[in-house]
């Protein structure tokens, strides 16, 4: 039996306005090579200056994962050649990173949890982007110099499932504290996975392979599973030393396999040395105090939702997984409805009606409108079943809740007086059946309920009918 060892390196692109070493814009989707200057083009004599907004965001992240903030860290040149890296080196941090050791808690479905160590998080700049077509290659340097926070975990994860839980929690945290838009499709949150195996009980670490640059939870999970299987088979076939070597591998989405890209460099290969153009990064106590004041984190919000709104741990976890979902829920709560109803109408009814590409950020039914609908149900104005019809209508039409209830004729009669007089009339017309009921034929009760509902053409609130009938027949 084997044990799987996984460590993750995540690159989160910080959502600063300008790049890490110059004042060029970081915004996405511009004409190629328009957001560039002598610094990010690596022209001779141009000098980098640290973007303080990026430093503040690094401190905020450190606070969120309960990490040590290093008051003095330095920037190093990491030398390597990429066609889209005009300086010929990346400015990164090597000996000391701005964020030191921290931790992140992952929660399993069965209610248990596990703490994953964070080794460090350091600031570095991104490279540009190359694209290849036919015998031409193009380079766009708009991205060159955008700030990244590289978040390195301890090799604490033991399965693909744990790795994905870690990534999802990390993704949620960086979005909650708003240091990155973490848009995975645009590559603002991407991950390198280090995988190795060892016989259970062995505490030595064996050769690890790195699977590079993945930006989809689904593919990361598949890549890990494939790689684990490949290493186990190599071990069992007696070819482990030959087949599993320290290298960088790529995950091929089409074949579902990982394949060798290049031998993995050691730190020495990069010829790290302190960047002579940059002073050490000094973080003062005042900065730590100011930037450690961060918004409510996903776990804190979850605990508050359990306490304040009476949600189950599980439902609170589902709702707090993204900031947008949690905000939507709280806007619904502002209409004065119960947490349990808000939760089920959001996660079951509304989400169940979303079509491809719809989510709470572009929902055709706003939080306030859905809250109003739930409130109408709680007040007995309409039945829960009618509420579903109203929601169906609202998904297609931008109108008010009241106008739909009116239009579809779904309003329930909950007025005691009106229902009372219907009951009186029905009981008076069915004296024989009343006598049967009073003689012990209890199933006659359903007959009376049916008659009242029929007389009201289905609009009477069944709870009120039941209550009043019981009183009357008692
Ligand atoms: Zn620039």
């Amino acid at each position: 039996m084997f044990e799987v060892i996984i460590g993750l390196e995540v690159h989160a692109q910080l959502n600063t306005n300008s790049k890490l070493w110059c004042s060029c814009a970081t915004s996405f989707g511009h004409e190629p090579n328009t957001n560039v200057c002598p610094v990010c083009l690596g022209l001779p004599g141009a000098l980098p200056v640290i973007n303080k907004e990026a430093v503040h965001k690094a401190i905020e992240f450190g606070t969120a994962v309960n990490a040590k903030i290093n008051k003095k860290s330095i920037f190093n040149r990491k030398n390597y050649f990429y066609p889209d890296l005009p300086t010929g080196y990346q400015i990164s941090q090597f000996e000391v990173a701005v964020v030191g050791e921290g931790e992140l808690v992952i929660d399993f479905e069965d209610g248990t949890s596990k703490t994953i160590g964070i080794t460090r998080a350091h600031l570095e700049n991104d490279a540009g982007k190359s694209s290849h077509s036919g015998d031409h290659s193009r380079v766009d340097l708009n991205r060159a110099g955008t700030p990244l926070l590289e978040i390195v975990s301890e090799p604490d994860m033991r399965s693909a499932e744990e790795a994905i839980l870690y990534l999802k929690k990390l993704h949620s945290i960086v979005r909650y504290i708003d240091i990155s838009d973490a848009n995975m499709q645009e590559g603002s949150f991407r991950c390198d996975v280090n995988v190795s195996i060892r016989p259970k009980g062995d505490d030595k670490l064996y050769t690890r392979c790195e699977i590079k640059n993945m930006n989809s939870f689904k593919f990361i999970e598949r890549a890990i599973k494939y790689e684990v299987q490949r290493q186990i088979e190599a071990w069992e076939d007696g070819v482990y030393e030959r087949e599993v070597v320290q290298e960088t591998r790529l995950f091929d989405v089409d074949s579902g396999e990982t394949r060798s890209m290049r031998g993995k460099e050691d730190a020495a290969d990069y010829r790290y040395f302190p960047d002579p153009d940059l002073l050490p990064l000094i973080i003062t106590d005042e900065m730590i105090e100011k930037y450690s004041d961060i918004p409510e984190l996903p776990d804190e919000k979850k605990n508050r939702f359990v306490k304040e709104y009476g949600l189950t741990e599980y439902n609170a976890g589902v709702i707090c997984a993204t900031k947008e979902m949690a905000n939507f829920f709280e806007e619904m709560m502002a209409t004065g409805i119960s947490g349990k109803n808000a939760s089920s109408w959001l996660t079951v009814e509304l989400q169940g009606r979303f079509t491809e590409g719809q989510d709470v950020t572009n929902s055709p039914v706003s939080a306030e409108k859905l809250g109003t609908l739930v409130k109408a149900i709680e007040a007995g104005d309409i039945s829960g079943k009618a509420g579903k019809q109203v929601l169906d209508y609202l998904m297609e039409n931008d109108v008010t809740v009241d106008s739909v209830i009116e239009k579809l004729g779904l309003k329930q009669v909950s007025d005691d007086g009106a229902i009372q007089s219907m009951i009186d009339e029905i009981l008076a017309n069915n004296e024989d059946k009343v006598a049967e009921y009073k003689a012990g034929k209890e199933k006659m009760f359903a007959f009376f309920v049916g008659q009242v509902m029929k007389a009201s053409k289905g609009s009477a609130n069944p709870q009120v009918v039941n209550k009043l009938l019981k009183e009357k027949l008692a």
Side-chain angles (χ1 to χ4, degrees), residues 174-303:
V174 301
R175 288 176 52 82
Y176 262 76
I177 61 172
D178 194 26
I179 61 166
S180 170
D181 66 21
N183 184 321
M184 296 183 80
Q185 271 119 38
E186 290 175 5
S188 313
F189 187 91
R190 48 192 204 260
C191 173
D192 303 338
V193 185
N194 286 295
V195 182
S196 66
I197 57 163
R198 67 183 172 201
K200 265 222 167 93
D202 195 339
D203 54 13
K204 189 180 141 193
L205 286 175
Y206 289 82
T207 308
R208 64 192 164 94
C209 291
E210 181 187 47
I211 317 166
K212 197 96 184 142
N213 244 334
M214 288 183 288
N215 57 353
S216 139
F217 294 132
K218 194 174 79 191
F219 293 149
I220 293 167
E221 187 174 2
R222 279 172 54 196
I224 292 173
K225 286 183 173 160
Y226 176 85
E227 183 59 23
V228 166
Q229 201 49 42
R230 185 184 76 87
Q231 293 186 15
I232 289 175
E233 276 169 23
W235 190 298
E236 286 171 344
D237 294 348
V239 293
Y240 180 80
E241 265 82 28
R242 196 180 74 218
E243 295 288 331
V244 180
V245 293
Q246 187 173 318
E247 65 181 355
T248 296
R249 298 177 70 86
L250 279 184
F251 178 64
D252 184 328
V253 175
D254 298 322
S255 67
E257 297 174 351
T258 64
R259 57 184 161 78
S260 180
M261 182 169 92
R262 58 165 195 254
K264 169 73 181 163
E265 302 81 357
D266 274 321
D269 298 325
Y270 292 119
R271 317 302 297 168
Y272 279 105
F273 65 88
D275 192 305
D277 292 338
L278 286 160
L279 290 167
L281 175 63
I282 305 295
I283 292 175
T284 61
D285 290 333
E286 290 74 31
M287 282 166 80
I288 293 180
E289 205 191 312
K290 184 164 178 199
Y291 294 101
S292 58
D293 182 18
I294 53 170
E296 192 178 37
L297 293 167
D299 283 352
E300 293 168 356
K301 203 180 276 282
K302 186 178 125 183
N303 293 336

Side-chain angles (χ1 to χ4, degrees), residues 422-435:
M422 280 188 263
I423 289 175
D424 289 344
E425 197 182 328
I426 284 155
L427 296 186
N429 292 339
N430 293 283
E431 273 173 9
D432 51 336
K433 299 212 166 57
V434 174

Side-chain angles (χ1 to χ4, degrees), residues 22 25 44 53 86 181 277 302 392 408:
C22 60
E53 207 190 342
D181 66 21
D277 292 338
K302 186 178 125 183
D392 286 336
L408 303 181

Side-chain angles (χ1 to χ4, degrees), residues 19 21-25 35-41 144:
K19 293 186 183 180
W21 309 115
C22 60
S23 58
C24 293
N35 292 333
V36 290
C37 75
V39 174
C40 54
L41 289 176

